[in-house]
Amino acid sequence: MSWVHNAAEKVREINRTYAVPRIRLSRTTKVVLVLLRVYLLMLVGLLLYSLITRLGY
């Protein structure tokens, strides 16, 4: 079980290293990323809607 503990500790170390982003994003970039997230969520929603209606649930 020590290999599991070692692997978990390595993952925790990587997470601590990259917990804080090192780049600065402009307001425009942040807005574009939010819009992209909304767009992707809408696509997933449409895909699920299409799947549900075609299966007849």
Side-chain angles (χ1 to χ4, degrees):
M1 279 303 217
S2 68
W3 64 272
V4 174
H5 178 69
N6 290 340
E9 187 58 39
K10 187 170 288 264
V11 168
R12 285 188 204 104
E13 180 183 343
I14 292 170
N15 286 340
R16 279 191 298 268
T17 302
Y18 296 106
V20 178
R22 296 180 185 166
I23 61 173
R24 302 277 184 221
L25 298 177
S26 68
R27 177 175 281 179
T28 306
T29 306
K30 289 179 184 179
V31 169
V32 168
L33 288 174
V34 168
L35 290 174
L36 180 61
R37 182 177 291 171
V38 169
Y39 173 71
L40 290 173
L41 288 173
M42 285 176 47
L43 284 178
V44 169
L46 285 172
L47 180 66
L48 289 174
Y49 174 77
S50 175
L51 180 66
I52 289 171
T53 57
R54 288 179 191 261
L55 291 178
Y57 288 115

